[in-house]
Amino acid sequence: NAGVTQTPKFQVLKTGQSMTLQCAQDMNHEYMSWYRQDPGMGLRLIHYSVGAGITDQGEVPNGYNVSRSTTEDFPLRLLSAAPSQTSVYFCASSYWIGQAANTGELFFGEGSRLTVL
Amino acid sequence: SQQGEEDPQALSIQEGENATMNCSYKTSINNLQWYRQNSGRGLVHLILIRSNEREKHSGRLRVTLDTSKKSSSLLITASRAADTASYFCATKRTDSSYKLIFGSGTRLLVRP
């Protein structure tokens, strides 16, 4: 199993450009999420999904779009990149065992480092 | 806003010593998890403790949870240079089944 795979690993954009960060998992996880990590800020949740066709906002969703057409893939789209979106982005997935149950452990990708000039 | 806050922000110890990191949170939780991140890598799950548990062990790791104080601690015993990493706590709040909220982390340096 590859686990959670993120591409690209590094990307440099100019302000106003758009791009998509790809995330794929091969563990048949229902739950997938995107976080951004900034120095001194820890990880902040951008968007998450509890299954194909179901997405919702996290703590910092502005400027980002997501979709979930398959169980395996959860791409993150930056519509018009801004310097404030310079960050390291992590995709994470887990088994989802029901709304009333506890969230299990998250499996993380290796991250995508994005610089917006 | 951050749900979990780790303390200290940075910790430097000698190999063989114990390392203790603390996490405080603000609202009621279902569970609390600890993760480790090596430099330039993704996070790796270490241990999960549920709100009805007070202590949990896994190898050299010991986690405690005090829901009355809204705090948790992670103890790494007999530390090794390979334990050098950042450690994060993450909480699943009772009012949000779908979100795992992370703190800002503790950077641990274990000197050989």
Side-chain angles (χ1 to χ4, degrees):
Chain A
N1 285 350
V4 179
T5 303
Q6 290 184 235
T7 56
K9 286 185 168 49
F10 301 93
Q11 183 71 49
V12 178
L13 290 179
K14 294 181 180 177
T15 297
Q17 288 185 317
S18 62
M19 78 156 300
T20 299
L21 300 177
Q22 302 290 345
C23 176
Q25 53 90 10
D26 61 359
M27 297 173 282
N28 202 29
H29 285 169
E30 295 171 288
Y31 183 85
M32 297 187 74
S33 56
W34 277 102
Y35 289 86
R36 60 177 287 174
Q37 184 176 34
D38 302 292
M41 299 289 291
L43 282 84
R44 291 181 291 170
L45 182 63
I46 304 171
H47 285 287
Y48 63 93
S49 169
V50 299
I54 307 170
T55 64
D56 206 345
Q57 296 180 350
E59 303 170 276
V60 289
N62 292 341
Y64 307 94
N65 272 2
V66 292
S67 60
R68 185 95 179 270
S69 56
T70 67
T71 300
E72 294 78 19
D73 300 299
F74 191 45
L76 178 72
R77 281 182 286 277
L78 282 71
L79 308 174
S80 177
S84 61
Q85 293 179 306
T86 293
S87 188
V88 181
Y89 292 84
F90 287 97
C91 179
S93 69
S94 77
Y95 292 107
W96 183 246
I97 52 176
Q99 186 171 350
N102 294 335
T103 300
E105 74 176 89
L106 283 174
F107 293 80
F108 280 82
E110 290 295 300
S112 296
R113 294 180 177 273
L114 175 66
T115 300
V116 183
L117 302 175
Chain B
S1 62
Q2 294 296 318
Q3 163 74 325
E5 294 295 334
E6 286 90 342
D7 170 59
Q9 289 187 327
L11 180 61
S12 179
I13 60 174
Q14 202 72 32
E15 202 166 28
E17 294 180 338
N18 295 342
T20 300
M21 288 158 267
N22 302 297
C23 171
S24 60
Y25 56 92
K26 297 174 184 174
T27 63
S28 296
I29 62 171
N30 274 334
N31 71 56
L32 186 144
Q33 304 176 30
W34 285 91
Y35 288 79
R36 165 193 168 128
Q37 183 182 33
N38 287 356
S39 181
R41 305 297 300 273
L43 282 75
V44 176
H45 181 268
L46 293 176
I47 194 166
L48 179 153
I49 187 165
R50 291 185 165 81
S51 59
N52 61 353
E53 298 175 317
R54 292 296 168 258
E55 188 171 312
K56 209 161 181 182
H57 296 256
S58 177
R60 293 185 295 114
L61 305 180
R62 172 179 171 252
V63 170
T64 61
L65 179 64
D66 187 333
T67 53
S68 67
K69 295 181 180 178
K70 290 186 170 58
S71 68
S72 173
S73 67
L74 172 67
L75 169 67
I76 304 174
T77 60
S79 62
R80 305 165 182 168
D83 294 327
T84 293
S86 291
Y87 293 82
F88 295 87
C89 69
T91 52
K92 179 184 176 297
R93 291 160 37 170
T94 54
D95 62 348
S96 176
S97 299
Y98 306 99
K99 302 177 184 178
L100 200 62
I101 305 298
F102 284 80
S104 53
T106 292
R107 295 188 312 278
L108 173 65
L109 172 64
V110 181
R111 304 186 304 275

